Amino acid sequence: MYTLRDWMIVDDGRDGQSALENGNRLLIGNGYMAKRGTVEEADASYMPAIILSGVYDKYGDLWREPVNAPDPLFTILSVDCVPLTLTSERLATHEQSLDFRYGVYSRNTTWNVKDANLTISTERFISMDDVHLLCMKYTVSTDSDCLSLSIEICINTDIHDLNGPHLGNFQFEVKGQTHTLVCETLEKKIPIAIANEIVERKSLSYLIEENRSLYFFNMDGSNSVELFVFGAIWTGLDVDDPLVNVKKSVSRAKEVGWDRLLAAHKAKWDENWRAGDVVIKGDDYAQRVLRYSLYHMHIIVPRYKRICGSLSIPARGLSGQTYKGAVFWDTEMFIAPYFLVTEPELAAQFIRYRIETLPGARRKAAEYGFRGAFFAWESQETGDDACTDFGVTDVFTGRPVRTYFRDKQIHISADIVFAIKRYVDATCDFVILKEGGLELILEVARFYLSHIYYSPDRKRYESLDVVGPDEYHERVNNNAFTNRMILMVFETAEAFLNLLKEGDEAFIEKLLAKLDFSEDISLMRDVIPHFYVPQPNGQGIIEQFDGYFRLEDCSIDTVRSRLKDPKEYWGGGNGVASTTRIIKQADVVTMLALFGVDYSIPIKEANLAFYEPRTEHGSSLSACMYALLACEVGGSDWAYPFFIRSAEIDITGKSKHFAGLVYIGGTHPAANGGAWLTAVHGFCGFSLKNNKIHVTPRLPSHWEKITFRAALPDGLHEVTVTRDGWNEEII
Ligand code: IFM
């Protein structure tokens, strides 16, 4: 059971399910890696993991996924050589917590052993200051005599992979109190070096057995034993010889010591919060869950520069191997807006990641017989699509089910263009357009030109056979969201071409020649006025796709009651939702939230009222879009529960954990970003255009005020919004 306090979450769960949930809930990280909130002695069944950002591997024919590194902080306490664990009968009390202001995980566990209460207290952090470093303080204490204790410390390779194993060629070395391990990934042979260095407060007798160190001691109730373990991880993607670096890292850590390492780590967190914090007055719960959401974005955003390319943020962050550690539209549409306002350089980095993976998008378009750039639905380091054709396993037959996320969810390319446009509109940074951004946009426009069809009957261009954000209805025609996004791509391409041409005609000429794009410009100009975007009907409702209104109109409960198994997949060929109007997530509503200026308030109200009861919110991306749109129509109080739902998702752990038999658990960065979007864009009516802040206050009725910051070229702006006014000052 968890308790949420200011900047702190505490959980006393000890069973397997709690361990799984706390793995996500108490995650710590720094964008280079993240470590799940499992106890130090956790075996593979607890799914402990240290996920490395941007390092992927494929084992045999299984799904390609991020690498889970061996754990340099693995520590286990034994009495008379019997390990003490959470399943031990002698377990008395247990509590784990996370200080989410500073990303410090703690744990306190007591066992009744030989008439003594024996307690382990640990603290650990993954340094924000030195991204390769993991630090742990491990303290053992008793209230009376307790003899024959031992602590084992090693670099643990007994880890759980969803589709592994991923590492081989293990070479261990133990010298004094330093352990090192060099191994390599199976597919690309990327070397991974891990080390730890153990420092005792008072020296203990120890021996080295195979690859582990064993410390022996007795306790009399007045003494305690304190150890520090400094771990480090480097890979061949960081430097040529990670082993040299990893050894340097731990010996430097030992020299600097726990207190100064922790102080440097906290100082970096203070920097993150300087721009990134949001303060809500009048609602303690909202304050806590929102800050917790922001914390989750900070522990996964890659701030460090890697030698081989820019990094972005995977859909489940660095909380595990779900969704193959891949980057989805979640980053562009839900996460990037936060960084665009608070650390715009990171929003630019997400764009650079897409520019650098453009070759993968071109390969994917060609694979399907299209021109231009069709971005990966699930993108890893090369931009090739990690998404498989069979994304779900049927609960009844155990057979893989054909899904169409990879080949039909074509809005992904437009989502990236949308993010570039939003970035440029907000910052006026045209350099990114010249550094590949415009080339990407043109290639995406070209992809859609090769995808759309002209209907001579209806005298319009249409987009057929797609999957929109609502993934339950596959292979539909004229999905309103997708069509509006495609039109936006053409309009953006045209606008940026004209804009850059004014300043640098030679650049545009060169780019058009390089891409051989001149004919496509004419095509685009012809398409724009004749491209079909579904419009509101007589009742103001926009049909999600052709034929949607002909589907069975029933309630979510009716659809749910038809499930024969709770893990059954709702969508696709046999899905219970497929023949009904029940949708997985915001679709038309997302379109209205993104293109607000195109639609009137009554249209927005009508669509909110129509689609909300028909939305299962089976995706964590859904609630915040409803909240955003509701704020626009004066429904902030109506939006509030959707905001909370988005912000608390990784605290409550209430989300779908399975799609069919495929595990989809982990943290939800898109919902974390969606919570900030709702608080700042929704409740404050905030927008940023040409580095100018605009605000239209519409706070929930019980909020007194909210303060957030925006990093603009002239400094950090602090914006304070009350129910009936706002101000900004440079701080
Ligand atoms: O990108 C989302 C998608 O919209 C719904 N299914 C999960 C994906 C990853 O979060």
Side-chain angles (χ1 to χ4, degrees):
M1 189 59 194
Y2 68 83
T3 313
L4 179 65
R5 307 190 188 125
D6 288 345
W7 295 112
M8 178 70 76
I9 182 156
V10 183
D11 194 293
D12 61 3
R14 22 174 113 173
D15 58 5
Q17 184 55 29
S18 307
L20 204 63
E21 285 174 11
N22 283 332
N24 301 319
R25 193 177 281 139
L26 308 177
L27 188 77
I28 54 173
N30 61 13
Y32 176 86
M33 61 179 141
K35 182 166 172 36
R36 287 174 61 78
T38 48
V39 292
E40 289 67 27
E41 67 277 9
D43 64 30
S45 68
Y46 285 82
M47 286 175 69
I50 297 175
I51 299 296
L52 302 179
S53 173
V55 186
Y56 296 93
D57 184 69
K58 184 169 165 66
Y59 175 67
D61 286 338
L62 300 181
W63 289 355
R64 200 162 184 275
E65 63 186 9
V67 168
N68 180 5
D71 181 6
L73 304 186
F74 181 86
T75 306
I76 186 161
L77 175 69
S78 297
V79 181
D80 294 332
C81 300
V82 180
L84 292 173
T85 67
L86 293 185
T87 53
S88 155
E89 276 176 11
R90 294 181 288 186
L91 180 70
T93 60
H94 170 65
E95 199 175 84
Q96 286 166 271
S97 60
L98 172 73
D99 163 355
F100 54 88
R101 176 173 191 153
Y102 289 120
V104 179
Y105 164 99
S106 310
R107 173 262 175 109
N108 272 293
T109 308
T110 300
W111 291 266
N112 302 130
V113 179
K114 300 180 180 174
D115 299 327
N117 288 313
L118 174 64
T119 301
I120 297 178
S121 307
T122 68
E123 266 179 68
R124 68 175 180 240
F125 62 92
I126 295 191
S127 177
M128 269 288 167
D129 180 52
D130 173 351
V131 293
H132 300 280
L133 208 61
L134 311 90
C135 305
M136 177 177 74
K137 178 154 82 171
Y138 192 94
T139 310
V140 183
S141 56
T142 58
D143 56 5
S144 63
D145 288 350
C146 200
L147 306 179
S148 190
L149 297 166
S150 60
I151 294 176
E152 173 193 330
I153 300 177
C154 67
I155 299 175
N156 185 33
T157 53
D158 178 24
I159 44 183
H160 171 85
D161 284 307
L162 289 183
N163 295 284
H166 295 295
L167 299 171
N169 200 7
F170 294 96
Q171 291 164 48
F172 288 95
E173 188 187 83
V174 186
K175 264 199 191 148
Q177 287 176 307
T178 313
H179 299 187
T180 51
L181 163 64
V182 186
C183 49
E184 59 185 20
T185 59
L186 302 185
E187 183 194 12
K188 293 192 174 173
K189 312 284 175 226
I190 302 166
I192 313 251
I194 301 121
N196 70 24
E197 177 88 41
I198 305 156
V199 179
E200 315 123 83
R201 184 74 81 185
K202 279 192 213 130
S203 88
L204 299 171
S205 63
Y206 74 95
L207 64 81
I208 295 164
E209 208 181 80
E210 294 179 356
N211 302 316
R212 44 197 196 131
S213 295
L214 291 162
Y215 292 81
F216 300 96
F217 55 98
N218 295 317
M219 304 197 76
D220 62 11
S222 65
N223 58 343
S224 66
V225 164
E226 195 170 74
L227 290 172
F228 298 93
V229 183
F230 300 114
I233 302 180
W234 285 78
T235 80
L237 300 179
D238 307 318
V239 280
D240 290 338
D241 191 347
L243 180 58
V244 172
N245 287 64
V246 89
K247 284 184 178 167
K248 274 193 203 151
S249 283
V250 289
S251 85
R252 184 189 153 266
K254 178 181 175 179
E255 228 174 271
V256 177
W258 170 268
D259 291 342
R260 281 166 57 208
L261 291 170
L262 181 59
H265 165 73
K266 287 187 168 179
K268 286 284 174 192
W269 267 107
D270 284 335
E271 267 177 44
N272 295 343
W273 290 121
R274 190 172 134 71
D277 195 15
V278 177
V279 181
I280 299 170
K281 196 145 183 242
D283 189 341
D284 289 347
Y285 186 68
Q287 172 71 83
R288 290 169 187 170
V289 290
L290 179 60
R291 277 189 168 144
Y292 181 77
S293 292
L294 304 180
Y295 164 81
H296 269 283
M297 288 194 283
H298 283 283
I299 62 171
I300 56 172
V301 63
R303 288 195 171 83
Y304 68 99
K305 301 279 167 262
R306 208 167 67 171
I307 48 173
C308 55
S310 306
L311 287 163
S312 189
I313 294 186
R316 288 285 184 266
L318 302 176
S319 62
Q321 292 158 318
T322 295
Y323 287 143
K324 309 169 193 110
V327 181
F328 289 60
W329 70 315
D330 306 33
T331 309
E332 278 74 18
M333 305 304 266
F334 298 80
I335 305 166
Y338 171 62
F339 290 108
L340 170 57
V341 173
T342 56
E343 284 178 75
E345 174 47 33
L346 291 171
Q349 177 181 312
F350 304 150
I351 296 173
R352 281 198 291 276
Y353 163 76
R354 294 299 192 175
I355 293 171
E356 288 161 24
T357 52
L358 185 57
R362 286 188 172 119
R363 284 192 289 275
K364 180 174 169 188
E367 179 192 335
Y368 287 105
F370 299 114
R371 300 186 298 127
F374 182 7
F375 276 89
W377 180 242
E378 300 183 12
S379 183
Q380 298 176 336
E381 79 280 43
T382 61
D384 290 296
D385 208 332
C387 188
T388 49
D389 284 344
F390 297 85
V392 167
T393 308
D394 182 63
V395 281
F396 305 112
T397 61
R399 293 200 180 115
V401 177
R402 178 69 162 100
T403 43
Y404 293 89
F405 311 127
R406 185 186 202 274
D407 35 356
K408 305 292 175 190
Q409 209 153 163
I410 62 165
H411 66 81
I412 176 66
S413 289
D415 304 331
I416 294 164
V417 172
F418 188 90
I420 299 177
K421 176 175 161 30
R422 181 167 46 196
Y423 172 83
V424 174
D425 287 350
T427 61
C428 298
D429 171 11
F430 300 111
V431 176
I432 201 132
L433 291 178
K434 288 189 158 185
E435 290 179 350
L438 184 58
E439 177 168 346
L440 182 155
I441 294 170
L442 296 182
E443 285 292 61
V444 168
R446 171 177 268 168
F447 162 63
Y448 290 123
L449 285 175
S450 69
H451 192 277
I452 58 180
Y453 291 86
Y454 185 71
S455 161
D457 254 14
R458 300 184 183 117
K459 299 197 176 22
R460 65 188 192 198
Y461 290 94
E462 303 188 340
S463 153
L464 308 179
D465 198 11
V466 305
V467 177
D470 160 30
E471 295 170 333
Y472 287 165
H473 297 92
E474 297 176 337
R475 310 198 67 170
V476 300
N477 295 338
N478 293 315
N479 168 250
F481 170 87
T482 305
N483 285 23
R484 183 64 190 88
M485 291 294 280
I486 294 174
L487 182 60
M488 176 276 305
V489 170
F490 296 145
E491 290 167 343
T492 304
E494 169 101 61
F496 283 156
L497 273 173
N498 293 338
L499 195 93
L500 291 199
K501 204 169 174 181
E502 276 172 27
D504 190 347
E505 190 158 357
F507 167 77
I508 293 295
E509 295 304 323
K510 209 165 146 201
L511 181 62
L512 294 181
K514 173 181 157 191
L515 301 180
D516 191 11
F517 202 79
S518 302
E519 219 173 287
D520 286 319
I521 294 189
S522 318
L523 268 179
M524 236 167 45
R525 289 188 180 142
D526 175 49
V527 168
I528 290 174
H530 302 112
F531 189 72
Y532 171 59
V533 177
Q535 294 302 311
N537 67 8
Q539 286 76 47
I541 315 296
I542 298 168
E543 189 173 30
Q544 187 175 296
F545 52 81
D546 291 354
Y548 171 84
F549 288 147
R550 291 200 301 273
L551 298 176
E552 181 190 350
D553 198 12
C554 58
S555 71
I556 297 177
D557 284 344
T558 305
V559 168
R560 191 176 284 112
S561 73
R562 293 173 184 166
L563 290 172
K564 292 202 161 73
D565 184 302
K567 287 186 185 160
E568 211 179 308
Y569 183 56
W570 286 39
N574 299 320
V576 283
S578 310
T579 53
T580 75
R581 294 189 195 175
I582 299 305
I583 64 173
K584 178 180 182 184
Q585 65 199 84
D587 194 307
V588 168
V589 164
T590 302
M591 179 187 78
L592 295 173
L594 298 181
F595 298 94
V597 287
D598 295 359
Y599 300 93
S600 68
I601 298 283
I603 295 295
K604 289 174 189 168
E605 282 171 342
N607 284 280
L608 265 178
F610 177 84
Y611 280 108
E612 203 289 318
R614 294 172 174 83
T615 306
E616 186 223 355
H617 299 293
S619 158
S620 61
L621 280 55
S622 191
C624 65
M625 285 298 153
Y626 278 90
L628 274 176
L629 191 64
C631 290
E632 272 193 55
V633 302
S636 292
D637 287 333
W638 189 89
Y640 182 78
F642 289 98
F643 159 72
I644 292 292
R645 188 165 169 172
S646 206
E648 69 178 12
I649 186 168
D650 290 326
I651 296 177
T652 61
K654 278 189 206 146
S655 61
K656 279 206 174 168
H657 291 280
F658 286 90
L661 291 179
V662 175
Y663 177 66
I664 55 168
T667 59
H668 301 81
N672 305 147
W676 179 88
L677 268 172
T678 308
V680 171
H681 287 257
F683 296 145
C684 299
F686 166 86
S687 62
L688 188 61
K689 287 263 163 350
N690 301 337
N691 290 313
K692 292 262 167 321
I693 291 171
H694 305 266
V695 169
T696 311
R698 41 204 192 195
L699 303 191
S701 49
H702 62 295
W703 284 19
E704 233 172 89
K705 71 173 179 186
I706 167 167
T707 305
F708 63 92
R709 290 173 178 175
L712 301 185
D714 60 349
L716 195 57
H717 289 232
E718 184 165 274
V719 182
T720 301
V721 183
T722 59
R723 273 203 298 283
D724 39 32
W726 71 284
N727 64 60
E728 65 175 303
E729 60 174 323
I730 299 185
I731 54 166

